[in-house]
Amino acid sequence: MGRWEPNARGRLAKAALELYGELGYEQTTVAEIAKRAGLTERTFFRHYADKREVLFDGSGALQELFATAVAEAPKSVAPIDAMMAGLEAVSTVFEGRREHARQRQAVIVANAELQERELIKLASMSTALADTLRRRGVEEPAASLTAEVGVAVFKIGFTLWLTAPDEREMSQVMRESLAGLKTVTARD
Amino acid sequence: MGRWEPNARGRLAKAALELYGELGYEQTTVAEIAKRAGLTERTFFRHYADKREVLFDGSGALQELFATAVAEAPKSVAPIDAMMAGLEAVSTVFEGRREHARQRQAVIVANAELQERELIKLASMSTALADTLRRRGVEEPAASLTAEVGVAVFKIGFTLWLTAPDEREMSQVMRESLAGLKTVTARD
């Protein structure tokens, strides 16, 4: 490690997101990101492998948090409610970060390769959640179906939260999305 | 078009799938596929853009079939049941093709790039189905949630159908998967 730069990681992420929005993701170089952050390229590469990693930095931790909350829900809780516990846990990460999440989403939506990366992230989340549910004793295909439902609620709920006109809490939006899903699949 | 080769397209697809299974997808060349099919490389490229297209050839038609069946379900039918009509329509395509579908699946599972392509296909299907539901008058987020559910049932049901010990019809497996999903999301 070179000399210490106060909050270099956060400054680089902020600069990258601004530039992706202004110039486009493809057009932005690491040199420009470092310059905007008032840091060197070397410092950038001490924190991120490449300019894509700035956008997907938190994915592993998010999946871990989601799966851990599902695993640790009380044994008496139904699989779908364990999933809701996971969605609540994930929501805490995004508290006060709606503007950041919006900027990131705009960059992703504009680039096919980044959208693919996002899909892979969600598929990986679904696989991890199904594993977690099986370890809770949920059988197949219920485990995989519940995991897919959890990820669907996260995906749709996330977009709703980003686009809501008011500043609603994400956990609230996730609860409403799950309720909406229960309504559309209600047995006759 | 050059001289007519009886069922060149089908012979190429069969040869490709065999070779992907035997040699691996990356290791197989178009020259080998053509040779196995008793045809020329030129004939291969008259039918397919590249060796990947052999595997994703029917994706567009499948999505179209799915969405059309959802669009044409009687107006009185609930969104989730319109989705089931789509799953029934899609199932007819796979009748008598389980062995082919199994071979294809084994190739895809062994290759990260092909798995990504498969995820993109499913995401595109979900987007098309949500569009179709909105045109049926379903509001958001119900349209997107129902579309995600339809794709989740298709994805899980497809794997169940491929791995079932008995030769059950796909439409039957899809009905059971949807019933399973209704069970896991049942309101308390």
Side-chain angles (χ1 to χ4, degrees):
Chain A
M1 277 276 172
R3 80 196 158 90
W4 182 75
E5 297 283 1
N7 190 25
R9 196 175 178 82
R11 281 158 63 192
L12 287 162
K14 185 170 174 288
L17 219 51
E18 284 173 10
L19 287 165
Y20 297 164
E22 292 166 22
L23 312 174
Y25 172 76
E26 294 92 338
Q27 285 74 41
T28 303
T29 64
V30 167
E32 285 165 321
I33 297 170
K35 194 178 167 207
R36 170 78 58 109
L39 297 163
T40 64
E41 278 190 70
R42 247 190 93 193
T43 303
F44 179 95
F45 289 116
R46 268 207 301 277
H47 290 279
Y48 299 104
D50 54 36
K51 65 180 185 171
R52 197 178 74 169
E53 207 202 316
V54 182
L55 295 166
F56 293 95
D57 189 26
S59 303
L62 196 73
Q63 178 176 311
E64 177 88 19
L65 185 71
F66 200 156
T68 302
V70 171
E72 291 177 352
K75 285 285 165 247
S76 60
V77 159
I80 193 73
D81 297 319
M83 203 53 65
M84 191 60 232
L87 290 164
E88 301 262 7
V90 162
S91 297
T92 61
V93 173
F94 294 96
E95 255 169 47
R97 289 174 58 82
R98 197 163 82 145
E99 201 39 49
H100 175 271
R102 269 189 182 152
Q103 281 178 19
R104 179 183 176 278
Q105 189 81 346
V107 175
I108 303 232
V109 163
N111 181 290
E113 185 211 323
L114 297 175
Q115 283 179 55
E116 291 175 18
R117 187 71 194 71
E118 192 84 336
L119 288 175
I120 294 162
K121 188 182 92 176
L122 292 175
S124 155
M125 204 179 249
S126 177
T127 305
L129 292 171
D131 275 349
T132 304
L133 288 172
R134 280 191 297 271
R135 278 198 295 275
R136 279 178 70 90
V138 182
E139 288 183 18
E140 284 297 345
S144 291
L145 286 166
T146 309
E148 289 286 331
V149 163
V151 171
V153 168
F154 175 68
K155 185 178 163 184
I156 310 287
F158 194 80
T159 306
L160 286 174
W161 173 70
L162 283 184
T163 54
D166 53 334
E167 283 281 347
R168 271 186 303 165
E169 287 204 3
M170 188 193 276
S171 59
Q172 172 65 17
V173 181
M174 292 296 171
R175 275 192 296 275
E176 287 170 15
S177 292
L178 182 59
L181 189 128
K182 289 184 178 189
T183 302
V184 300
T185 58
R187 278 179 286 201
D188 359 73
Chain B
M1 278 278 173
R3 82 197 156 88
W4 183 74
E5 297 283 2
N7 191 26
R9 197 174 177 82
R11 282 157 62 192
L12 287 163
K14 187 169 172 289
L17 219 50
E18 285 172 11
L19 288 165
Y20 296 164
E22 293 165 21
L23 311 176
Y25 172 76
E26 293 92 339
Q27 286 74 40
T28 303
T29 65
V30 167
E32 286 165 319
I33 297 170
K35 193 179 168 208
R36 170 77 60 107
L39 296 163
T40 63
E41 279 190 69
R42 245 189 96 194
T43 303
F44 179 94
F45 288 115
R46 269 208 301 278
H47 290 279
Y48 299 104
D50 54 36
K51 65 178 185 172
R52 197 179 73 169
E53 206 202 317
V54 182
L55 295 166
F56 293 95
D57 188 28
S59 304
L62 196 73
Q63 179 176 311
E64 177 89 21
L65 184 71
F66 199 156
T68 303
V70 171
E72 291 177 351
K75 284 283 165 249
S76 59
V77 158
I80 194 74
D81 297 318
M83 204 52 64
M84 191 59 233
L87 289 164
E88 300 262 7
V90 162
S91 297
T92 61
V93 173
F94 293 95
E95 255 171 47
R97 289 174 59 83
R98 198 165 80 143
E99 201 38 50
H100 175 272
R102 269 188 183 154
Q103 282 177 19
R104 179 182 175 279
Q105 189 79 349
V107 175
I108 303 236
V109 164
N111 182 290
E113 185 212 322
L114 297 174
Q115 284 179 54
E116 290 174 19
R117 186 74 194 69
E118 193 83 338
L119 289 176
I120 295 162
K121 188 182 92 177
L122 292 175
S124 154
M125 203 179 249
S126 177
T127 305
L129 292 170
D131 275 349
T132 304
L133 288 172
R134 281 191 296 269
R135 279 198 297 274
R136 279 178 70 92
V138 182
E139 288 184 17
E140 284 298 348
S144 290
L145 286 166
T146 309
E148 288 287 330
V149 163
V151 171
V153 168
F154 175 68
K155 185 179 164 186
I156 309 286
F158 194 80
T159 305
L160 285 174
W161 173 70
L162 283 184
T163 54
D166 55 332
E167 282 283 346
R168 272 186 302 165
E169 287 203 5
M170 189 194 276
S171 59
Q172 173 64 18
V173 181
M174 292 297 172
R175 274 192 298 274
E176 288 170 15
S177 294
L178 181 59
L181 189 129
K182 288 183 180 191
T183 302
V184 300
T185 58
R187 277 179 287 200
D188 1 69

